[in-house]
């Protein structure tokens, strides 16, 4: 598996935004929140607190409260009735136990009771059983941007004795099972290209030494890898922002309830922050342009940024940024006066953190206890921009060469979307074109090690001599009677042949295994067309070989899915 798992769509929760406003600012902010929610296809209502029937609050799953503070810590006029009701002592402690909420306060720090209403409301909602989505948010009219940064970076005069990079390496023996907050730094053993030199894509088989790591994994699990930015991008980012990479700082939260990111050491170097935390090659969202405009001292650049962040500038933003996949770093280079004026304190507000990437485990711990392998397609494609677009994690992994010296990669394992039967006599049918074969290689190794030999693999690729992953391994297992291999080489004949065509050709066998022998059916790979094509082929087999009508075949397939005899894992 590479990238994000395909997931079934969930019903969107309904959002309620309630405001208490004296001068109209809180109402304006609330209406803007409503527009943003609806733009993201989230059902949303916006109401003044006193116009909302407060007794209905117990039935609301998701609420944002936007509250101004007036006078000497008083609530605005249009929330006074709500205020009296919510502080009744007779209200049961679990009244709001089904509600998730957030509170945004709009205040002025020149007043003694700064954001008193928001702070007090936040505490009261917690007392009534509500679940806070995040700590209370406090806007300040005195601040030049209307709100302070989440953190301050306090730069040190001298570098600490132990640098941040050394601190990361020191965590090679974590306490407890490896996780996102405490990954294993696994030594990379091999990094080998497994596609032919003339093949359009660079695909790597990468192996890690996990002996003594505390990692435990089974077929169907995924390994998550925390990538780093390229050295050239780090240099360019520091240059355009005027940052010194080797300068160290400590991170201090502005509010007592806000924790510092646990992935960052304290103290931390600018180089460590940029290389390991800030996702400078991600495509920015509209909110990025909005905050950047607030930080800009340059009139012409600020006007353009405001245009991009406005509802009217949606199409232009799409053409400039979203369609060509322009990165945060490239945007900053296009707005140099603004980039050079960004206060370091706002870096963590402006730029999202690097998220880990998931890959299917492609080897069995039962068969190879000290090794973990993954199959990585290096992402690279062209848009209208001169520079090719590159996947952060796959490009970083491909650049690592254990032959040039020790390489350690932060990783951990979590359950994936595929589970395989433990009973020895149950056959499994696996359809894995391209890198989709990775989880099935782990499953086949594991099943063979357990003496389970009823394994049928449908594998598809372009050409036998270019991207036929693990060909020799499959052939050896066929000789041993542990595997039935069915291949589809799409470009080796005039008419393209894919795995769904091979499935249809072997329809009688597939139906016999499914209906008579209770086989489990698995599908993994790219989410674009293949899953629908394979599902259609399976439906046709159920109808033709099973003699079922369309509705009955659909019910049969649904039953397979419900009982986990048809499982699918796809990614973009």
């Amino acid at each position: 598996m590479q990238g994000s798992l395909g997931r079934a769509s969930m019903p969107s929760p309904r959002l309620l935004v309630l405001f208490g406003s004296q001068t109209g600012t809180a109402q304006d902010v609330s209406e803007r929140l409503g527009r943003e929610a609806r733009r993201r296809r989230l059902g949303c209502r916006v109401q003044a607190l006193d116009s909302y029937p407060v007794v209905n609050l117990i039935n609301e799953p998701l609420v944002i409260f936007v509250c101004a503070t007036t006078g000497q810590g008083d609530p605005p006029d249009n929330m006074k009735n709500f205020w009296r009701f919510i502080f009744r002592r007779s209200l049961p402690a679990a009244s709001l136990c089904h509600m998730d909420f957030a509170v945004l306060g709009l205040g002025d720090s020149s007043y003694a009771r700064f954001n008193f209403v928001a702070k007090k409301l936040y505490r009261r909602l917690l007392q009534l059983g509500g679940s806070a989505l995040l700590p209370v948010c406090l806007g300040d009219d005195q601040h030049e941007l209307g709100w302070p940064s989440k953190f301050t970076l306090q730069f040190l005069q001298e570098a600490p004795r132990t640098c941040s990079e050394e601190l990361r390496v020191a965590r090679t023996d974590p306490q407890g099972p490896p996780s996102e907050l405490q990954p294993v730094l696994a030594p990379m053993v091999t990094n080998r290209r497994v596609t032919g030199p003339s093949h359009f894509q660079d695909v790597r088989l990468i192996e890690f030494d996990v002996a003594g790591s505390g990692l435990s994994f089974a077929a169907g699990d995924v390994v998550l890898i925390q990538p780093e930015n390229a050295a050239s991008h780090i240099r360019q980012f520091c240059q355009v922002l005027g940052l010194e990479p080797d300068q160290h700082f400590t991170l201090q939260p502005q509010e007592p309830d806000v924790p510092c990111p646990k992935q960052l050491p304290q103290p931390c170097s600018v180089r460590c922050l940029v290389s390991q935390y800030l996702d400078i090659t991600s495509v920015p969202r509209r909110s990025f342009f909005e905050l950047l405009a607030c930080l800009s001292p340059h009139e012409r650049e600020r006007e353009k940024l405001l245009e991009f962040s406005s509802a009217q500038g949606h199409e232009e933003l799409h053409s400039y940024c979203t369609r060509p996949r322009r990165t945060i770093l490239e945007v900053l280079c296009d707005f140099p006066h603004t980039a050079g004026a960004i206060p370091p304190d706002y870096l963590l507000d402006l730029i999202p953190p690097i998220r880990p990437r998931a890959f299917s485990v492609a080897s069995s711990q039962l068969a190879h206890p000290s090794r973990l392998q993954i199959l990585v397609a290096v992402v690279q494609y062209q848009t209208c921009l001169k520079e090719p677009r590159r996947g952060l994690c796959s490009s970083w992994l491909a650049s690592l060469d254990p032959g040039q010296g020790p390489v350690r990669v932060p990783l951990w394992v979590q359950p994936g979307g595929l589970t395989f039967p433990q009973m020895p006599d149950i056959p499994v049918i696996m359809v894995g074109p391209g890198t989709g074969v990775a989880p099935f290689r782990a499953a086949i190794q594991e099943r063979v090690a357990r003496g389970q030999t009823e394994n049928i693999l449908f594998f598809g690729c372009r050409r036998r001599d270019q991207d036929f992953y693990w060909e020799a391994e499959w052939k050896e297992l066929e000789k041993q009677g542990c595997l039935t291999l069915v291949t589809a080489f799409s470009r080796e004949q005039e008419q393209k042949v894919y795995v769904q065509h091979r499935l249809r050709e072997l329809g009688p066998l597939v139906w016999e295994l499914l209906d008579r022998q209770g086989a489990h059916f698995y599908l993994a790979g790219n989410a674009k067309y293949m899953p629908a094509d394979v599902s259609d082929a399976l439906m046709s087999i159920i109808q033709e070989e099973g003699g079922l009508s369309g509705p009955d075949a659909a019910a049969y397939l649904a039953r397979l899915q419900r009982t986990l005899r048809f499982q699918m894992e796809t990614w973009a």
Side-chain angles (χ1 to χ4, degrees), residues 160-215:
R161 291 181 182 178
T162 306
C163 72
S164 55
E165 289 75 12
E166 289 170 352
L167 288 171
R168 183 167 185 175
V169 171
R171 291 181 284 182
T172 52
D173 185 21
Q175 302 299 311
S179 64
E180 182 171 6
L181 295 179
Q182 205 167 42
V184 164
L185 287 173
M188 182 184 285
V189 179
T190 58
N191 185 351
R192 180 168 60 90
R193 178 169 173 147
V194 290
T195 43
S198 62
H199 191 62
F200 78 102
Q201 189 167 41
D202 180 0
V203 177
R204 300 297 179 105
L205 178 61
I206 298 177
E207 184 174 58
F208 301 100
D209 181 355
V210 294
S213 66
L215 284 173

Side-chain angles (χ1 to χ4, degrees), residues 56-101:
N56 293 346
L57 206 56
I58 60 171
N59 301 316
E60 299 291 350
L62 187 61
V63 186
I64 298 176
F65 297 87
V66 183
C67 309
T69 297
T70 66
Q72 299 303 311
D74 300 319
D77 291 341
N78 68 352
M79 69 174 287
K80 285 185 174 176
N81 292 334
F82 166 85
W83 193 251
R84 283 190 289 270
F85 180 90
I86 205 73
F87 283 96
R88 285 183 182 176
R89 293 185 179 180
S90 59
L91 293 179
S95 300
L96 303 179
C97 62
H98 298 298
M99 185 180 79
D100 292 328
F101 74 90

Side-chain angles (χ1 to χ4, degrees), residues 205-238:
L205 178 61
I206 298 177
E207 184 174 58
F208 301 100
D209 181 355
V210 294
S213 66
L215 284 173
S216 177
F217 54 92
D221 288 350
V222 297
V223 60
L224 288 105
I225 291 177
Q226 188 68 40
E228 294 184 11
N229 287 308
S232 59
H233 290 152
I234 298 165
R235 284 193 299 272
Q236 190 178 14
F237 180 86
C238 290

Side-chain angles (χ1 to χ4, degrees), residues 230-289:
S232 59
H233 290 152
I234 298 165
R235 284 193 299 272
Q236 190 178 14
F237 180 86
C238 290
Q239 184 176 2
V240 75
L241 268 74
L243 297 171
E244 172 51 55
D246 295 320
Q247 193 167 11
H248 285 72
F249 62 88
T250 58
L251 204 60
Q252 300 291 332
Q254 294 273 34
E255 293 293 328
D257 294 330
V258 177
C260 291
K262 289 188 170 63
Q263 299 95 323
L264 288 177
Q266 292 272 39
C268 181
S269 69
V270 170
R271 188 188 311 279
C272 176
L273 174 69
V274 181
S275 67
Q276 298 178 15
Y277 190 78
L278 299 180
D279 199 356
I280 59 176
T281 60
S282 62
V283 177
R285 300 177 185 273
R286 194 166 74 168
S287 58
F288 170 86
F289 292 90

Side-chain angles (χ1 to χ4, degrees), residues 348-418:
L348 277 76
D349 295 90
L350 187 66
I351 302 173
I354 296 173
R355 301 304 306 153
R357 270 56 167 185
F359 300 87
S360 290
V361 174
S363 59
S364 166
Q365 194 170 32
L366 188 63
H368 306 285
S370 64
R371 292 290 189 263
L372 186 154
Q373 292 186 340
I374 57 175
L375 193 63
V376 179
V378 182
V379 177
Q380 180 173 321
Y381 59 96
Q382 200 74 46
T383 67
C384 62
L385 300 177
K386 181 181 177 182
E387 281 293 312
R389 307 294 90 187
R390 293 181 171 88
L392 173 61
C393 189
S394 62
S395 297
W396 176 67
L397 286 171
S399 73
L400 302 176
D401 184 1
Q404 298 297 311
V407 173
R408 292 181 182 270
V409 173
L411 56 83
W412 63 100
V413 169
Q414 69 181 31
L418 303 176

Side-chain angles (χ1 to χ4, degrees), residues 491-567:
R491 304 300 200 275
E492 289 196 351
Q493 57 284 312
E494 192 172 328
Q495 184 115 14
K496 292 177 183 175
V497 176
Y498 296 112
V499 285
Q500 60 266 26
H501 300 128
R502 296 297 190 216
L503 268 173
R504 289 177 190 270
E505 289 172 10
L506 294 173
L509 172 63
V510 172
W511 176 250
E512 165 69 23
L513 290 167
L514 281 175
D515 198 59
R516 304 280 189 272
Q517 299 184 37
H520 288 219
F521 190 98
Y522 298 88
L523 169 62
N526 190 286
K528 195 170 185 182
Y529 302 118
M530 185 271 300
D533 291 339
V534 170
S535 296
D536 288 347
L538 191 55
M539 274 287 289
S540 296
I541 291 169
I542 294 169
Q543 287 179 262
E544 293 166 14
E545 302 301 328
L548 299 180
S549 65
D552 286 345
Y556 187 99
L557 190 59
R559 189 163 62 251
L560 291 180
Q561 292 174 313
R562 192 169 57 251
T563 57
L564 298 183
R565 287 182 55 208
F566 179 24
Q567 298 179 43

Side-chain angles (χ1 to χ4, degrees), residues 481-496:
C482 299
L483 176 69
T484 299
L485 177 67
V486 183
T487 54
F489 303 110
S490 63
R491 304 300 200 275
E492 289 196 351
Q493 57 284 312
E494 192 172 328
Q495 184 115 14
K496 292 177 183 175

